[in-house]
Amino acid sequence: MEDVVAARLAELSASWNKAKGEVFRQAISHIRMPLCISDPTQTDNPIVFANDAFCDLTGYSMEEVIGRNCRFLQGPGTTRDSIERLREVLISEELATVEIVNYRKDGSEFINALQLGPISDPDGNLLFYFGSQFDVSSQRRKEKEAAALRSRELLHRLRNIVNVMAVVIKMTSRDYPGSEALRDVITGRLLALGKAHFDTIGEDGSRESLALSQIAETILHAYAPMAGTQVVLNGPVVVLPESRVTPLTLILHELATNAVKYGALSAPQGHVDLSWHLDCGVLNLAWQENGGPAVTVPKREGGSGIIRTIVGAMGGTIVFDWKADGLRVDVQMSVGEHV
């Protein structure tokens, strides 16, 4: 009798579990949020379930989705960083949200705020992964447009401030006879700083343009009479923290000014080689002049004194080598791990 009761209870339990499974299947099938489930126990972790909302979002039919790995939604705009982050989440079996660029069947792009996580049995064994999709393209576009508007307004105001300061310096110098040289030096430094910042900060607020190569090109091409033909830049991509943009701009401005007045850039055949490399967060910058007039050690410190002060304030080192055939300057300073 006990065996019969046990068998009946097992039958009822199985029936109930099956009913619960069907209820669950119908519930997630009709939920409005796009959702898919993949099976990591199968080769290449294929999708084994997707609801109608997923198909509506991606434009693919159920038959085109089932059995494929989710990577079929990736495309040209999908970044390596987002793919690596997805891989980390899957390996660690954590619950996380990753923004990734995906593509619909018609080729249109959307930014997917993908939430994914593991589904395990009572013993903690991994059974499935679930992924819920949310199209945040419109939200991100509005945020980008708002940031671009703020950046344009800020850059406009900053340009006005720099221009007004330059005019004030010029007008003030009229009251002090013999101050024209000082006026020109101060104005030159001010405009160089402004140009470096304005030209290296995009109107959309992007910081990716704060690269050493772009700052160097902006400054040096402005001083070299024949622009690119007199300047050689050589070094890896180094994206600078904001705290280093102003100091490096002033350093390059002073070196370029000196080269135009007394060094390589004062001669048609002269040129400047600027090279750099990054070693454990320390920037090694080498300035080498060639083809200019014979170099003599200056009797007083002007721009070189300013450069020494700037580098020293950042805990860096600088060495001036006034070789007869061309000035060489070696600078070392910490810029962090910005690469």
Side-chain angles (χ1 to χ4, degrees), residues 100-319:
I100 184 170
V101 174
N102 281 160
Y103 292 82
R104 301 180 179 87
K105 184 178 179 179
D106 63 8
S108 59
E109 178 184 294
F110 68 99
I111 301 175
N112 183 8
L114 172 63
Q115 185 181 58
L116 68 160
I119 300 174
S120 305
D121 66 16
D123 296 324
N125 299 310
L126 179 64
L127 298 176
F128 303 101
Y129 284 110
F130 77 88
S132 61
Q133 293 75 27
F134 185 61
D135 183 357
V136 295
S137 304
S138 177
Q139 179 181 344
R140 295 294 175 265
R141 182 169 57 254
K142 290 178 180 178
E143 291 172 354
K144 187 175 181 179
E145 291 172 352
L149 177 61
R150 291 193 298 270
S151 295
R152 286 195 296 271
E153 292 177 347
L154 176 60
L155 287 173
H156 178 70
R157 292 182 182 182
L158 289 176
R159 286 191 179 97
N160 284 342
I161 290 174
V162 170
N163 291 335
V164 168
M165 290 177 66
V167 171
V168 169
I169 293 171
K170 183 177 181 179
M171 294 179 66
T172 303
S173 69
R174 296 173 181 173
D175 297 328
Y176 298 87
S179 64
E180 292 82 2
L182 178 61
R183 175 200 65 197
D184 293 341
V185 170
I186 294 175
T187 302
R189 289 169 181 164
L190 174 64
L191 295 178
L193 281 174
K195 182 173 178 56
H197 282 280
F198 301 149
D199 288 358
T200 57
I201 299 178
E203 292 193 349
D204 61 351
S206 171
R207 312 305 295 175
E208 64 181 4
S209 60
L210 288 172
L212 174 56
S213 60
Q214 290 175 289
I215 292 176
E217 183 175 322
T218 297
I219 295 296
L220 300 186
H221 284 194
Y223 286 90
M226 291 179 284
T229 61
Q230 287 187 288
V231 175
V232 177
L233 304 178
N234 183 27
V237 175
V238 176
V239 180
L240 298 168
E242 289 185 70
S243 61
R244 294 298 186 255
V245 173
T246 293
L248 280 169
T249 297
L250 281 172
I251 290 171
L252 293 176
H253 166 76
E254 294 301 327
L255 290 174
T257 300
N258 181 77
V260 169
K261 290 182 177 179
Y262 315 108
L265 297 183
S266 66
Q269 70 277 15
H271 63 92
V272 171
D273 294 321
L274 180 67
S275 60
W276 63 87
H277 68 273
L278 200 63
D279 184 12
C280 298
V282 175
L283 177 66
N284 296 269
L285 191 74
W287 171 281
Q288 178 66 61
E289 297 184 27
N290 296 286
V295 175
T296 57
V297 179
K299 296 181 180 180
R300 65 181 182 85
E301 285 195 339
S304 61
I306 291 176
I307 296 175
R308 291 184 193 277
T309 301
I310 293 172
V311 175
M314 294 185 294
T317 62
I318 184 168
V319 176

Side-chain angles (χ1 to χ4, degrees), residues 78-98:
T78 307
T79 66
R80 183 176 296 276
D81 287 344
S82 62
I83 294 174
E84 287 299 323
R85 177 56 182 149
L86 285 179
R87 184 176 290 110
E88 292 173 0
V89 172
L90 294 174
I91 292 175
S92 63
E93 298 181 21
E94 62 178 301
L95 176 65
T97 299
V98 179

